[in-house]
Amino acid sequence: MPPVITLLTDYGLEDGFVAACHGVIIGLAPEARIIDVCHLIPSGDVRRGAAVLAQTVPYLPPGVHMAMVDPGAGGARRAVAVMAGDRMFIGPDNGLLSWAVDACGGAAAAYEIVNDDLFRHPVSPTFPGRDVFAPVAAHLCLGRKPADLGPDVPPDRLVSLPKPTSKLRDGAVEGEVLSVDRYGNTQLSITADDLAALEVQVGDTLAVWLGRRQLTVPFRESFASVPPGELVAFADSAGLIAIAVNAGDAAQRLGLPPGAHVRLSPTS
Amino acid sequence: MPPVITLLTDYGLEDGFVAACHGVIIGLAPEARIIDVCHLIPSGDVRRGAAVLAQTVPYLPPGVHMAMVDPGAGGARRAVAVMAGDRMFIGPDNGLLSWAVDACGGAAAAYEIVNDDLFRHPVSPTFPGRDVFAPVAAHLCLGRKPADLGPDVPPDRLVSLPKPTSKLRDGAVEGEVLSVDRYGNTQLSITADDLAALEVQVGDTLAVWLGRRQLTVPFRESFASVPPGELVAFADSAGLIAIAVNAGDAAQRLGLPPGAHVRLSPTS
Amino acid sequence: MPPVITLLTDYGLEDGFVAACHGVIIGLAPEARIIDVCHLIPSGDVRRGAAVLAQTVPYLPPGVHMAMVDPGAGGARRAVAVMAGDRMFIGPDNGLLSWAVDACGGAAAAYEIVNDDLFRHPVSPTFPGRDVFAPVAAHLCLGRKPADLGPDVPPDRLVSLPKPTSKLRDGAVEGEVLSVDRYGNTQLSITADDLAALEVQVGDTLAVWLGRRQLTVPFRESFASVPPGELVAFADSAGLIAIAVNAGDAAQRLGLPPGAHVRLSPTS
């Protein structure tokens, strides 16, 4: 298999920024296969970048996974490479990589990226994706040892984002809106396993509390299990509970931004 | 030539959904060459997906053409593989593939996709693109026989979208707005051949009826044949008649949504 | 290294237009590696296309660089191939290529593209990207000589866009807003070298005149060198001075469209 490099950024698609990264990689490692994970992470939204990376990485071939969402680009945060399972993640040490690293079994080793023999010069302070991470990704693909990047970082010193959690309590489960997709489906931090622990089964009905509001929502196999325009809860393709409107926009209808508190329980 | 897989979906580019499909394909068939046809089909718009696929496929190398626009994902519609010419189409049996299949000479054979040895497990009910179609595309690329996917489907039992048609009558041709592109050019279901049958030539003037409104529009070689801001009709890159405004948005100016009835005739 | 073809267009991503170009290229030159530079150039905005191409091309591997932004598609402008350094640019002769050609050392030779043996037939008057430039790019990749495309064009007869310039005068530098990126950072036609000529150093403060308004803006290493919400000037990843708001949108806050006049001087 040709070596795989994947890219996730908040660069958008309106400029040549993504292409510059592709160009630098291909110039150094012509055989590399590049997969664009997503470049429309909202600008500086580390949490959204972390969620998309963690939920996509199980489906990507092992390789070098570069991610760059960094409101502090040019600031003081360090650049790191993190080994997890058969994968290497490179990006800023701001938590962006942390959920994906966890999804791959946790960090086995980590290195600060400081060896500027591997960078593209001159290094622009505002475009480390092009001048630091892209060439480092290519060199790793070509067989360079991670330990050549710079000094060891103890994995427990890496910055981690607080994990979105769910809590089972009093016959209910509490969590939050983790993200909202293009369709307006709201993905919760509550898992299919949480509902199983409450003995909720497909076909049951859920009581959903959003702040003071309470709704009754059917729990079904998919959004398509209810008529168009109706609310539904289901286990989504990442194993998390989503609240959706079939052929509609649940986030908009319910006014549910990321971070909003949600509580679910079986109706009695 | 390396095996080619093409993808058309309504997944959008804001999530990792497209990348998950790429990852699954490359993990199984590392030599596959993937072409992204379009991922911004409006959510659930089967007709728009069918039009883009049918108009693009003549320019794609033969291969496995996966398409996924399915307001009923997780519902009851079956998944099918359809052989047409030297191409294989896979997708939901909801008409999405039908215009492209017709453009390739019609269905020579079809199979229901049920052999779950070829799927990625666990299969998410809400993401068949990743768990069913992407791995099936990869296996077909690797030489798996279509008949291994599942039972034969008689081609005349496949779901077809009604074909956008045009009708010559009383020295005029009637049709509808088939789609609107990024520039606001409105593509009609009326063909260049229809106008030829009415003996309309480039340089002539057309009477255009939109409901009760009537306009007089020059028929020219391209939108650029008239000054900026002026209306023009021309044969577009798919051989269909388009009404456009040079450097402007005809769909917006004329209030012409897909499906709107249009009648053209030569001015006398 | 496999042959590289890069594409920059204003086709957008909502249709199959980009895929049709990929398909035509891969059908002829299966080994070609395609890099999408950008397809979201605003429709017909030759100047923006020229800027993105010129700023990205230094980071792309040498190859055939196709660009298509042409408000006069189907009009009278000729199609050209321009050799510069170890690169070949193909596109309309409307200035789109000119800044990139300059960035690569200027045109060593140029040819009008008229040899229709190399085109895809029938040639649509409205889609030369698919029927003229894509097949020509593939043939060049396969080793076809540029002189086979058509007659020589003296490089000084090629259409050039006026270069965005800066002028040092009275201890200040004047220029204009060259472009605005996704983040709202406004890139000026004023270079880092201009500020160096005025002996401005990182850490200094700039007086910024926008028409009659005058602002005082710190000159720093990057947008991240100031607190969120504050204005900052810095040398961007293309070596040009940008005015930004950390975690904000400077173009919107200051009302600075492309072309707006800007004057900078060190504060005394």
Side-chain angles (χ1 to χ4, degrees):
Chain A
M1 182 180 301
V4 169
I5 294 176
T6 77
L7 307 181
L8 175 140
T9 74
D10 63 353
Y11 293 161
L13 299 172
E14 290 152 349
D15 297 273
F17 301 146
V18 171
C21 294
H22 280 232
V24 167
I25 290 169
I26 294 170
L28 290 166
E31 303 306 321
R33 178 109 192 202
I34 301 174
I35 299 176
D36 291 299
V37 175
C38 185
H39 296 293
L40 298 182
I41 301 299
S43 178
D45 190 340
V46 174
R47 190 181 157 89
R48 171 74 182 153
V52 171
L53 186 62
Q55 293 177 22
T56 308
V57 76
Y59 305 96
L60 300 174
V64 178
H65 305 288
M66 165 181 157
M68 189 63 207
V69 179
D70 187 8
R77 61 92 200 105
R78 60 188 170 188
V80 291
V82 184
M83 314 293 116
D86 48 2
R87 300 170 186 275
M88 300 189 210
F89 294 89
I90 61 174
D93 185 21
N94 64 3
L96 175 64
L97 308 176
S98 60
W99 295 347
V101 165
D102 283 353
C104 296
Y111 305 90
E112 187 171 356
I113 299 175
V114 295
N115 178 358
D116 65 9
D117 287 352
L118 305 177
F119 300 171
R120 191 181 200 289
H121 296 274
V123 173
S124 163
T126 58
F127 201 173
R130 180 190 71 194
D131 297 331
V132 173
F133 293 109
V136 163
H139 286 298
L140 290 169
C141 238
L142 293 168
R144 193 79 184 216
K145 296 267 173 293
D148 292 345
L149 300 175
D152 272 14
V153 176
D156 60 0
R157 303 293 294 275
L158 293 168
V159 174
S160 283
L161 292 186
K163 290 202 74 164
T165 54
S166 56
K167 189 161 26 179
L168 291 163
R169 184 161 59 182
D170 301 337
V173 55
E174 297 179 25
E176 62 183 284
V177 175
L178 180 58
S179 68
V180 174
D181 76 10
R182 182 191 190 209
Y183 306 98
N185 298 337
T186 58
Q187 183 183 55
L188 308 182
S189 62
I190 296 171
T191 68
D193 289 344
D194 291 330
L195 288 191
L198 295 173
E199 299 185 354
V200 173
Q201 297 181 341
V202 167
D204 290 352
T205 300
L206 294 170
V208 177
W209 281 270
L210 312 168
R212 293 180 202 162
R213 282 179 297 164
Q214 197 214 314
L215 303 165
T216 301
V217 177
F219 181 58
R220 295 291 183 268
E221 192 172 56
S222 99
F223 57 87
S225 309
V226 298
E230 294 199 5
L231 278 167
V232 61
F234 62 95
D236 78 3
S237 61
L240 297 170
I241 302 304
I243 297 179
V245 170
N246 187 13
D249 186 318
Q252 194 167 54
R253 186 191 301 181
L254 302 176
L256 278 182
H261 183 267
V262 176
R263 182 163 174 257
L264 306 180
S265 68
T267 54
S268 49
Chain B
M1 184 180 299
V4 169
I5 293 175
T6 76
L7 308 180
L8 174 141
T9 74
D10 63 352
Y11 293 161
L13 299 172
E14 289 152 350
D15 298 273
F17 301 146
V18 171
C21 293
H22 279 233
V24 168
I25 289 169
I26 294 171
L28 290 167
E31 302 306 321
R33 177 112 193 201
I34 301 175
I35 299 177
D36 292 300
V37 174
C38 185
H39 297 293
L40 298 182
I41 302 299
S43 178
D45 189 341
V46 175
R47 190 182 157 89
R48 171 74 182 154
V52 171
L53 186 62
Q55 292 178 22
T56 308
V57 77
Y59 305 97
L60 300 174
V64 179
H65 306 289
M66 165 182 158
M68 190 63 205
V69 178
D70 188 7
R77 62 93 199 105
R78 60 188 169 186
V80 292
V82 185
M83 314 294 115
D86 49 1
R87 301 168 185 277
M88 300 188 210
F89 294 89
I90 61 174
D93 185 21
N94 63 3
L96 175 64
L97 307 175
S98 60
W99 295 348
V101 165
D102 283 353
C104 296
Y111 305 90
E112 187 171 357
I113 299 174
V114 296
N115 178 359
D116 65 8
D117 287 353
L118 305 177
F119 300 171
R120 191 180 200 289
H121 295 276
V123 173
S124 164
T126 58
F127 201 173
R130 180 190 70 195
D131 298 332
V132 174
F133 293 108
V136 162
H139 287 297
L140 289 170
C141 238
L142 293 168
R144 194 79 185 216
K145 296 268 171 293
D148 291 346
L149 300 175
D152 272 13
V153 176
D156 60 0
R157 303 293 294 276
L158 293 168
V159 174
S160 283
L161 292 186
K163 289 203 73 164
T165 55
S166 56
K167 188 160 30 180
L168 291 163
R169 184 162 59 183
D170 301 335
V173 55
E174 297 178 25
E176 63 183 283
V177 175
L178 181 58
S179 70
V180 175
D181 76 9
R182 180 190 191 210
Y183 305 98
N185 298 337
T186 58
Q187 182 183 54
L188 308 182
S189 62
I190 296 171
T191 68
D193 290 344
D194 291 330
L195 288 192
L198 294 173
E199 300 185 352
V200 173
Q201 297 182 341
V202 167
D204 289 352
T205 300
L206 294 170
V208 177
W209 280 271
L210 312 168
R212 294 180 202 160
R213 282 178 298 164
Q214 196 214 314
L215 304 166
T216 301
V217 177
F219 181 59
R220 296 290 182 269
E221 192 172 56
S222 100
F223 57 86
S225 308
V226 297
E230 294 199 6
L231 277 166
V232 62
F234 62 96
D236 78 2
S237 62
L240 297 171
I241 303 303
I243 297 179
V245 170
N246 187 13
D249 186 318
Q252 194 167 54
R253 185 190 303 181
L254 301 176
L256 279 181
H261 183 266
V262 176
R263 182 164 174 256
L264 305 180
S265 67
T267 54
S268 49
Chain C
M1 183 180 300
V4 169
I5 293 175
T6 77
L7 307 181
L8 174 141
T9 74
D10 63 353
Y11 293 160
L13 299 172
E14 290 152 350
D15 298 274
F17 301 146
V18 171
C21 294
H22 280 233
V24 168
I25 290 169
I26 294 170
L28 290 166
E31 302 307 321
R33 177 112 193 201
I34 302 174
I35 300 177
D36 291 299
V37 175
C38 184
H39 296 293
L40 297 182
I41 301 300
S43 178
D45 190 341
V46 174
R47 190 181 156 90
R48 171 75 182 153
V52 171
L53 186 61
Q55 292 177 22
T56 309
V57 77
Y59 305 96
L60 301 174
V64 178
H65 306 288
M66 165 181 156
M68 190 63 206
V69 178
D70 187 7
R77 61 94 199 102
R78 60 188 170 188
V80 292
V82 184
M83 313 294 115
D86 49 2
R87 299 169 187 276
M88 300 188 212
F89 293 89
I90 62 174
D93 185 22
N94 64 3
L96 175 64
L97 308 176
S98 60
W99 295 348
V101 165
D102 282 353
C104 297
Y111 304 90
E112 186 170 357
I113 299 174
V114 295
N115 179 358
D116 65 9
D117 288 353
L118 305 177
F119 300 171
R120 193 181 199 288
H121 295 276
V123 173
S124 164
T126 59
F127 201 174
R130 179 190 72 194
D131 298 331
V132 173
F133 292 109
V136 162
H139 286 298
L140 289 170
C141 238
L142 292 168
R144 193 80 185 217
K145 295 270 172 293
D148 292 345
L149 300 175
D152 273 14
V153 176
D156 60 1
R157 303 294 293 276
L158 293 168
V159 174
S160 283
L161 292 186
K163 291 202 73 164
T165 54
S166 57
K167 188 160 30 178
L168 290 164
R169 184 162 60 183
D170 301 336
V173 55
E174 297 179 25
E176 62 183 286
V177 175
L178 180 58
S179 69
V180 174
D181 76 10
R182 181 190 190 210
Y183 305 98
N185 298 337
T186 60
Q187 182 183 54
L188 308 182
S189 62
I190 295 170
T191 68
D193 290 343
D194 291 330
L195 288 191
L198 294 173
E199 298 185 353
V200 173
Q201 298 182 341
V202 168
D204 289 352
T205 300
L206 293 170
V208 177
W209 279 271
L210 313 167
R212 293 181 202 159
R213 283 180 296 164
Q214 198 215 313
L215 303 165
T216 301
V217 177
F219 181 59
R220 296 290 183 269
E221 192 172 55
S222 102
F223 57 86
S225 308
V226 297
E230 294 199 5
L231 277 167
V232 61
F234 62 95
D236 79 2
S237 62
L240 297 171
I241 302 304
I243 297 180
V245 170
N246 187 13
D249 186 318
Q252 194 167 54
R253 184 190 303 182
L254 301 176
L256 279 183
H261 183 266
V262 176
R263 182 164 174 255
L264 306 180
S265 67
T267 54
S268 48

